[in-house]
């Protein structure tokens, strides 16, 4: 594997690559080696004995480093393989192997979080000693209700209200008086428009006819 433990020479590098400082990684690595042997009933060295093709990993520690790095970096399998010296399909297969060993070991040691419950009562019983519950969820799209009262109930407060027609759109604009270089550049490119800013990466052009044109990060968006 291209990525070597020996290249991680500082705690900053250890944390960047694995999410752990070196001391904690070494402790986890010793446990991971035990979990690997329990998973396959052999050590990695014993499993690879007699192989004609050089395996991707020589030690359980390398597999753990690869697994944690893959989870920490969030790379696609093709890029993960490019970085670590294997093709995308092998990167996927080895990540799944490493994750499976971690899950099995953490579950056997009683450190894995419970991921399923038979009913609400079992869920409540499991969390009865906790005083704070944090939910990490993904926002889901919902059809915007036509009734104003229903809209108000579903409004999260994260987004500013806006009108439904072009003429109703009134951005809280700010002239580029404090950014003369940007204002001059915009004036040269769009002499018939006044440049205003409504947020990072977004420039509004307000021509004399009152129609709204977007450029920058929102170029091509029509309102």
């Amino acid at each position: 594997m291209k990525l070597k433990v020996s290249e991680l020479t500082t705690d900053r590098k250890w944390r960047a690559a694995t999410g752990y400082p070196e001391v904690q990684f070494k402790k986890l690595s010793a446990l991971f080696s035990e979990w690997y042997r329990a998973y396959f009933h052999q050590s990695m060295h014993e499993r690879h004995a007699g192989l004609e093709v050089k395996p991707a990993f020589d030690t359980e520690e390398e597999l753990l480093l690869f697994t944690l790095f893959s989870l920490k970096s969030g790379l696609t399998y093709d890029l993960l393989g490019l970085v670590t010296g294997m093709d995308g399909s092998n990167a996927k297969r080895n990540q799944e192997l490493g994750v499976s060993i971690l899950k099995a070991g953490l579950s056997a040691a009683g450190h894995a979080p419970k991921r399923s419950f038979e009913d609400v009562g079992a869920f409540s019983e499991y969390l009865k000693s906790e005083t704070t519950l944090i939910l990490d969820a993904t926002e889901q799209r919902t059809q915007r209700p036509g009734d104003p009262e229903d809209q108000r109930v579903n409004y999260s407060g994260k987004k500013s209200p806006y009108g439904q027609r072009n003429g109703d759109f009134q951005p809280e604009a700010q002239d580029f008086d404090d950014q003369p270089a940007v204002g001059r550049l915009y004036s040269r490119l769009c002499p018939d428009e006044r440049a205003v800013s409504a947020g990072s990466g977004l420039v509004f052009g307000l021509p004399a006819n009152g129609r709204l044109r977007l450029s920058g990060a929102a170029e091509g968006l029509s309102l």
Side-chain angles (χ1 to χ4, degrees), residues 139-142 144 154-162:
E139 183 177 355
Q140 301 294 325
R141 289 184 178 182
T142 58
R144 188 177 179 86
N154 291 299
Y155 177 58
S156 66
K158 296 179 181 178
K159 303 175 180 65
S160 298
Y162 57 88

Side-chain angles (χ1 to χ4, degrees), residues 5 10-11 63 174 208:
V5 172
T10 65
D11 261 359
L63 176 58
Q174 173 184 330

Side-chain angles (χ1 to χ4, degrees), residues 43-57:
S43 67
M44 182 177 291
H45 179 73
E46 292 170 338
R47 288 189 67 228
H48 291 171
L51 289 180
E52 297 181 359
V53 180
K54 179 175 174 59
F57 308 105

Side-chain angles (χ1 to χ4, degrees), residues 62-194:
E62 287 187 356
L63 176 58
L64 175 62
L65 173 61
F66 168 82
T67 304
L68 295 179
F69 176 80
S70 70
L71 298 175
K72 182 72 163 55
S73 64
L75 298 174
T76 64
Y77 290 118
D78 286 332
L79 285 176
L80 181 61
L82 179 64
V83 170
T84 57
M86 61 189 78
D87 58 43
S89 59
N90 276 336
K92 181 178 186 298
R93 184 161 47 248
N94 284 314
Q95 185 199 56
E96 291 175 346
L97 172 61
V99 170
S100 296
I101 294 172
L102 279 174
K103 283 183 177 180
L106 290 170
S107 297
H111 297 303
K114 190 171 179 60
R115 296 181 176 273
S116 61
F117 301 89
E118 296 179 358
D119 50 38
V120 175
F123 178 73
S124 300
E125 179 65 21
Y126 181 75
L127 296 173
K128 66 179 182 180
S129 60
E130 302 295 335
T131 58
T132 303
L133 181 62
I134 300 175
L135 299 179
D136 184 6
T138 302
E139 183 177 355
Q140 301 294 325
R141 289 184 178 182
T142 58
Q143 180 64 40
R144 188 177 179 86
D147 184 88
E149 291 301 323
D150 291 339
Q151 285 189 27
R152 193 170 292 107
V153 171
N154 291 299
Y155 177 58
S156 66
K158 296 179 181 178
K159 303 175 180 65
S160 298
Y162 57 88
Q164 296 180 350
R165 302 184 302 276
N166 288 343
D168 294 336
F169 192 93
Q170 298 293 334
E172 295 181 1
Q174 173 184 330
D175 289 328
F176 276 114
D177 294 337
D178 57 340
Q179 303 180 48
V182 177
R184 287 196 300 272
L185 175 61
Y186 195 92
S187 297
R188 290 174 60 187
L189 296 176
C190 308
D192 298 327
E193 299 181 357
R194 181 170 63 91

